[in-house]
Amino acid sequence: MSFLKGIAASNGISIAKAYHLVEPNLSFEKKTIENPTKEIERFQNALNRSTTDLESIRDHAKENLGEDKAAIFDAHLLVLNDPELTNPIEDMIKTEKVNAEHALKEIAERFVSMFEAMENEYMKERAADIRDVTKRILAHLLNVQLPNPSMISEEVVIVAEDLTPSDTAQLNRKYVKGFTTDIGGRTSHSAIMARSLEIPAVVGTRTATKEIENGDLVIVDGLKGEVHINPTQEAVEQYKKEYEAYEIQKAEWAKLVNEKTVTADGYRVELAANIGTPKDLKGVLDNGGEAVGLYRTEFLYMGRDHLPTEEEQFESYKAVLEGIKEKPVVVRTLDIGGDKELPYLQLPKEMNPFLGFRAIRLCLEEQDIFRTQLRALLRASVFGNLKIMFPMIATIDEFREAKRLLKEEKEKLTNEGVKVADNIEVGIMVEIPSTAIIADAFAKEVDFFSIGTNDLIQYTMAADRMNERVSYLYQPYSPSILRLVKMVIDAAHKEGKWAGMCGEMAGDETAIPILLGLGLDEFSMSATSILKARSQILQLEKTEMEKLARRVLEMSTTEEVIQAVNEAVNGDKKTS
Ligand code: PEP
Ligand code: MG
């Protein structure tokens, strides 16, 4: 048995066989061939096998993930059987006497460049389809296996270098019992998705893909951040017991599902949930969420090959507003970029994507995309209690411009006779230190703040949230972060506005006592953290936490802060 240490990313324990989600090596050399007829046969054979693959992936996706996720595979089948692509490949094999791999790559690249150069968005998207299909045919020519996460049909633990949000969206909860990755941190999007899907996960192990073989028995301990490879029978038994103890604890928390969140001395706060799709609403209601504090709309744009239409978006927003039954829903406008890519937008590669053309920066430039989303939101606003929030705001001008576009779209809709709610609150995420520092100026113009600590910490500490090598710098309890949080909350309250937090810190048991003391109004977290947080808050006294907050703001290190919280909450003088 061997053992890996990583970052505990999603609570729970799972025991299952490893499934490697790793891109195989598809490199090859150009060769001259003797017998073109035989080579063409080999190519056609690869085409047939790719068709069979794609048909069964499509049918499986339809059944397990829905029509919309399956549509992408229909598009791939069309490309695969298009003679405009296959005929020139066969011609090249015949006339130039080259191997099928080379001919495929040459011709496919010509088409990819041609489609990428087109103005029309739809045609541009075809380039991504051709790339995917080429990869599949090539894998068959080289006799290597491509991973197909949507085809998994037995209980597994996924082992990957990293999981993109769209990989994660394709995972079927029924079979995927846990996952572990080489890279990533607690706030990387794969970790956030794992929490919303309630899949135990350990990320940032550095070597999981090297140490774990396909089919190894693996225990993922998402509570301690440990992965055990081919454990002994005793270890499996021990983990089964721990799993049961965890389930008993969860059953205790579950009793609080209909309780209000009120401290022991009678101070009320709101516990909200972060969601990525309307499907997550069930988890919010099952876990006693009092609102949706962050709806990450970018997931609507992922795992597909073209932009969602206004109508599709309208349906999703309406479903969330209606599904949560009058409770507030804070919808964040498109936050793409960083570790969230949209292949079909084909944005140029950047040296520093987390500091680049993302979120509101992209939306203010690509106004068609932004306006479509704003219209869909405004139309949905009459179906519930909608609040709109702009991500990654760095300057007041950005906020004013976004608000201007919102106003314009609202006027257009009203002129068209479409009903729009007139009490929609408009706020911003505070994720960039510049915004926290002048929160007093922002507070005069926004209706609310939601502090996005996942990014605020990485930008304040200059430590990439995805990079496990600098994860020691990713310090939510650093006095520097706490002071920024205080500036934001105080600025909001001075103007009679509310301040929430939707970064992962809002659900963290060491941070919660301090945040309560600082006066945070709304705590938005993974739905699965809500009941545990409620159980903790019911036992705390706001007045005591205010004293704690005052003390920690004067401290110099994270360790001192942790120690002070432990003393205040558990009366613990020794632990750190
Ligand atoms: C954040 O940055 O804290 C946040 C909630 O946004 P995301 O994790 O989607 O970047
Ligand atoms: Mg963010």
Side-chain angles (χ1 to χ4, degrees), residues 187-189 192 274 294 296 298-299 332 335 337 339-340 354 358 389 391-392 429-432 450-459 465 474 501-505 524:
T187 61
S188 53
H189 283 93
I192 291 170
N274 297 346
L294 168 65
R296 287 186 167 94
E298 50 278 7
F299 292 112
R332 170 173 81 183
D335 180 3
D339 65 334
K340 292 174 284 193
F354 274 114
R358 59 174 292 202
M389 169 160 85
M392 295 292 297
M429 293 199 62
V430 183
E431 299 170 279
I432 301 179
S450 186
I451 308 172
T453 47
N454 302 343
D455 279 319
L456 185 64
I457 298 168
Q458 78 164 342
Y459 295 134
R465 66 196 257 192
Y474 199 86
M501 180 179 285
C502 59
E504 292 302 306
M505 185 175 171
S524 193

Side-chain angles (χ1 to χ4, degrees), residues 47-62:
L47 280 183
N48 292 340
R49 283 157 68 197
S50 303
T51 307
T52 316
D53 266 7
L54 278 170
E55 281 171 352
S56 71
I57 294 174
R58 177 203 53 201
D59 296 345
H60 200 267
K62 227 178 234 169

Side-chain angles (χ1 to χ4, degrees), residues 319-379:
V320 171
L321 286 161
E322 287 186 331
I324 195 105
K325 304 183 182 85
E326 295 303 312
K327 290 177 182 162
V329 176
V330 181
V331 180
R332 170 173 81 183
T333 58
L334 181 61
D335 180 3
I336 216 69
D339 65 334
K340 292 174 284 193
E341 281 182 58
L342 286 186
Y344 57 83
L345 278 191
Q346 280 154 24
L347 298 165
K349 280 260 172 269
E350 294 181 300
M351 295 279 281
N352 290 304
F354 274 114
L355 300 181
F357 186 58
R358 59 174 292 202
I360 200 69
R361 303 165 185 191
L362 182 146
C363 285
L364 293 179
E365 183 134 335
E366 305 280 338
Q367 287 197 4
D368 287 350
I369 297 177
F370 193 38
R371 285 178 190 271
T372 304
Q373 178 169 43
L374 296 177
R375 281 175 69 87
L377 279 169
L378 290 163
R379 284 173 51 204

